[in-house]
């Protein structure tokens, strides 16, 4: 199983589509816990990537990640731009020279991204942020790689569910990082918008692989 740049650009398109279908929902989550711009920030980033996908389609995966990182860093405002931008740039470095990503590379990319986000955002798991969706997905993938699990359907279904459950777990958390931490109620009772859009991305990456790469 390997994913290449064309696969990743199709996945980006799927994320963009999912964002279009959840504009109000995500905006309202950020209105409840932050300043209401999270959907718009993500939409600008993914919209720009999609608009320029012709320019990217012949790049190797590491260069694609570098370009995604630079786009996110420069186009997306707010915390998410810096966090996603930095994370993609860090993953591009870890996977330097890779034309395509195999299972181990996907793990390395996601692991590098979550570690970079933690460092940059001075955040750990349990702070009510996007890390609460990404970290459990990375841990789940790591667990399957360590146990030499070979059933890719099982792996990607579990990784996807780990991200979705992780996002869900932010509902009852008091925020330690992000704008919700400045609120009196620390956002308790509301899902973290960044965790929700992170779970969308993990879910769609897993679905792309499940639908297009396994048994094909
Ligand atoms: P801003 O908070 O600057 O308005 P966005 O609305 O685009 O930026 O993104 C908000 C999301 O960013 C939050 O829901 C949270 O998931 C994430 N976030 C904010 N600060 C941090 C941090 N220090 N570490 C990790 N994630 C963070
Ligand atoms: Mg915001």
């Amino acid at each position: 199983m390997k994913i290449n740049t064309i696969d990743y650009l199709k996945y980006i398109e799927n994320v963009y589509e999912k964002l279009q279908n959840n504009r109000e929902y995500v905006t309202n989550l950020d209105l409840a816990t932050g300043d209401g711009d999270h959907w718009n920030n993500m939409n600008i980033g993914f919209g720009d990537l999609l608009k320029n996908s012709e320019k990217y389609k012949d790049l190797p995966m590491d260069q694609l990640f570098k370009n995604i990182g630079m786009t996110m860093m420069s186009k997306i405002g707010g915390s998410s731009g810096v966090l996603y931008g930095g994370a993609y740039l860090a993953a591009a470095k870890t996977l330097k020279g890779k034309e395509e990503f195999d299972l181990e590379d996907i793990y390395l990319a996601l692991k590098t991204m979550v570690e970079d986000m933690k460092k940059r955002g001075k955040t750990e798991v349990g702070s009510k942020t996007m890390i609460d969706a990404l970290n459990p997905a990375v841990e789940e993938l790591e667990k399957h790689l360590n146990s030499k699990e070979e059933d890719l359907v099982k792996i990607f279904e579990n990784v996807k569910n780990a991200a979705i459950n992780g996002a869900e777990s932010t509902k009852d958390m008091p925020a330690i990082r992000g704008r919700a931490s400045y609120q009196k109620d620390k956002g308790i009772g509301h899902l973290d918008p960044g965790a929700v859009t992170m779970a969308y991305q993990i879910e769609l990456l897993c679905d792309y692989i499940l639908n297009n790469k396994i048994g094909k």
Side-chain angles (χ1 to χ4, degrees):
M1 195 284 300
K2 281 187 178 173
I3 56 169
N4 60 28
T5 294
I6 298 295
D7 293 318
Y8 210 78
L9 290 172
K10 284 190 194 138
Y11 151 75
I12 297 262
E13 193 175 338
N14 294 345
V15 176
Y16 181 76
E17 216 168 87
K18 178 109 187 176
L19 286 170
Q20 304 319 302
N21 296 332
N22 290 279
R23 179 179 188 156
E24 225 182 288
Y25 176 62
V26 173
T27 299
N28 285 336
L29 290 177
D30 198 33
L31 280 172
T33 58
D35 55 357
D37 62 352
H38 183 64
W39 181 86
N40 196 45
N41 287 338
M42 298 302 285
N43 185 54
I44 290 172
F46 280 90
D48 192 276
L49 291 173
L50 200 56
K51 202 175 71 197
N52 289 299
S53 61
E54 265 300 300
K55 278 196 237 161
Y56 303 139
K57 70 179 200 331
D58 297 322
L59 295 175
M61 278 294 270
D62 65 330
Q63 291 301 312
L64 175 69
F65 265 47
K66 193 173 169 191
N67 278 273
I68 295 175
M70 290 189 300
T71 297
M72 297 207 160
M73 199 61 112
S74 63
K75 303 274 171 180
I76 305 184
S79 323
S80 21
V82 181
L83 292 167
Y84 275 100
Y88 267 101
L89 289 175
K93 259 194 204 162
T94 302
L95 291 150
K96 203 169 170 56
K98 292 273 178 180
E99 192 82 31
E100 301 181 320
F101 288 179
D102 63 15
L103 185 61
E104 181 91 7
D105 298 328
I106 293 172
Y107 164 71
L108 274 178
L110 294 175
K111 174 82 177 168
T112 305
M113 290 173 99
V114 77
E115 292 308 323
D116 189 81
M117 284 178 163
K118 285 179 189 169
K119 218 165 91 188
R120 206 173 292 272
K122 299 185 175 55
T123 315
E124 267 308 319
V125 171
S127 302
K128 198 180 183 84
T129 71
M130 50 177 89
I131 286 164
D132 294 312
L134 180 54
N135 200 74
V138 174
E139 278 183 349
E140 190 67 28
L141 193 48
E142 189 170 77
K143 191 179 91 187
H144 289 301
L145 288 175
N146 286 340
S147 69
K148 310 225 178 313
E149 172 62 56
E150 282 175 4
D151 183 347
L152 290 173
V153 173
K154 184 174 164 192
I155 294 177
F156 284 103
E157 287 289 352
N158 286 349
V159 170
K160 168 168 129 178
N161 287 326
I164 294 170
N165 294 336
E168 198 58 43
S169 78
T170 63
K171 189 164 186 172
D172 299 320
M173 282 179 192
I176 296 169
R177 293 284 174 213
R179 290 183 198 273
S181 64
Y182 305 124
Q183 292 189 345
K184 207 163 138 200
D185 65 359
K186 307 280 177 203
I188 291 176
H190 300 285
L191 291 170
D192 175 63
V196 168
T197 58
M198 176 65 83
Y200 288 170
Q201 292 166 74
I202 302 291
E203 179 186 356
L204 290 170
L205 183 64
C206 291
D207 279 344
Y208 184 86
I209 294 169
L210 287 164
N211 294 330
N212 298 285
K213 293 282 150 176
I214 297 175
K216 309 259 153 152

